Amino acid sequence: MSALFSAITRAFPRELISHLAARLGEGENGMKRALQGVLPVMMGGMARKAEASDAQLLFEWSNRAYLTTPYGLGSVTGMLGILGGGQEAGSAMMQGETLLLVLFGNSWQTIAASVSRYAQVKRTTASTLLMLVGAVLPGLLGQYAERNRLSAAAVTANLISIKNRLNNLLPGDLRAVADALGLTATTQPAKGRTRQGQVISWSLMLAVLLGMSSARVGLLAHVLPVGSAQLVHGWCLMAAQVAGGMTRATPAVW
């Protein structure tokens, strides 16, 4: 098993699974099965983003998440604090949902439904778990990179290694959804992803990177489909200046 995957998995120990099960009204076995599906899918999504877009931006984003998180990454108390923080605008859980939109678009709800069926947990439980993992995964990735002194290229290589073995890591009942999303090594992402869709995805990722509230992110996602690419380009440049001149804020699609 990948060292990175093992490190991420250790952030969700049995004690945490027990607490999550109690809070969400599920059995421990169901929660464990749900996590066994959610973690590989999420990391496969991160790998696909790194492959298809800009590995350096993903690296900087994860590093910033690690350095700025107010919660104890990998601690039971920290994880429960994120869950207990609710789903208000700007909360960690809403940032987790934004990551899901960046990685999968609205298809993340399809993932939630598949995890729910496989693990025999409520659909709301699967959605909450996906958002929780989305809230902490960038920080955990940044933490792993910092502790192991990894470059952006090395982090990407680790993620791609996990993606290439996704069929072995995923429970059999969830492989079909991974194939449909183009997460496995033997399949390609579904066609029909437009240039506009890439712009939206990049802009949402940048919004998370800059720590914007989910309300602002939602407004941006609503406006972009009817706006021009030049408008988005200008917004990205402005956001980069606000962030202090981040050099790689603008994606290569321009």
Side-chain angles (χ1 to χ4, degrees):
M1 183 181 291
S2 161
L4 172 58
F5 188 78
S6 295
I8 299 298
T9 301
R10 285 196 298 272
F12 297 86
R14 182 174 181 179
E15 181 184 358
L16 175 61
I17 292 173
S18 179
H19 281 289
L20 291 175
R23 289 204 181 190
L24 298 174
E26 304 286 358
E28 289 189 28
N29 286 339
M31 288 301 297
K32 182 178 180 180
R33 284 166 62 87
L35 269 173
Q36 288 173 343
V38 166
L39 290 177
V41 167
M42 290 293 291
M43 296 188 73
M46 294 280 276
R48 183 177 64 175
K49 176 61 67 177
E51 279 184 305
S53 304
D54 189 328
Q56 183 63 34
L57 180 59
L58 179 65
F59 176 78
E60 292 170 1
W61 177 35
S62 299
N63 185 58
R64 183 180 185 277
Y66 167 52
L67 293 176
T68 61
T69 180
Y71 301 98
L73 286 173
S75 74
V76 173
T77 301
M79 295 285 197
L80 293 177
I82 292 174
L83 183 64
Q87 300 180 13
E88 300 299 323
S91 67
M93 290 293 282
M94 284 295 96
Q95 291 177 10
E97 183 178 6
T98 302
L99 176 60
L100 290 167
L101 289 169
V102 167
L103 298 181
F104 308 112
N106 289 329
S107 293
W108 83 268
Q109 294 288 357
T110 301
I111 298 172
S114 298
V115 169
S116 173
R117 287 192 298 270
Y118 161 71
Q120 293 296 294
V121 297
K122 297 186 294 290
R123 171 76 173 270
T124 54
T125 294
S127 295
T128 298
L129 195 56
L130 279 161
M131 292 168 66
L132 177 62
V133 173
V136 300
L137 185 56
L140 290 171
L141 186 60
Q143 182 184 66
Y144 182 83
E146 175 74 15
R147 289 180 175 177
N148 292 277
R149 301 189 177 186
L150 300 181
S151 64
V155 170
T156 300
N158 272 266
L159 285 170
I160 292 174
S161 174
I162 293 171
K163 178 175 176 286
N164 289 342
R165 298 165 56 196
L166 207 58
N167 274 331
N168 294 327
L169 295 172
L170 273 173
D173 291 352
L174 294 179
R175 290 173 188 165
V177 69
D179 288 343
L181 292 171
L183 298 182
T184 54
T186 57
T187 58
Q188 296 296 323
K191 294 182 179 180
R193 180 169 174 80
T194 64
R195 184 172 183 268
Q196 185 181 63
Q198 291 177 324
V199 170
I200 294 171
S201 176
W202 268 107
S203 299
L204 286 170
M205 177 180 278
L206 182 59
V208 177
L209 176 62
L210 298 181
M212 296 176 66
S213 71
S214 62
R216 294 283 300 281
V217 171
L219 177 63
L220 181 64
H222 174 72
V223 171
L224 283 176
V226 295
S228 68
Q230 290 301 318
L231 175 64
V232 181
H233 190 196
W235 182 87
C236 286
L237 291 176
M238 179 183 69
Q241 291 173 356
V242 171
M246 185 167 46
T247 59
R248 296 185 65 87
T250 307
V253 296
W254 304 112

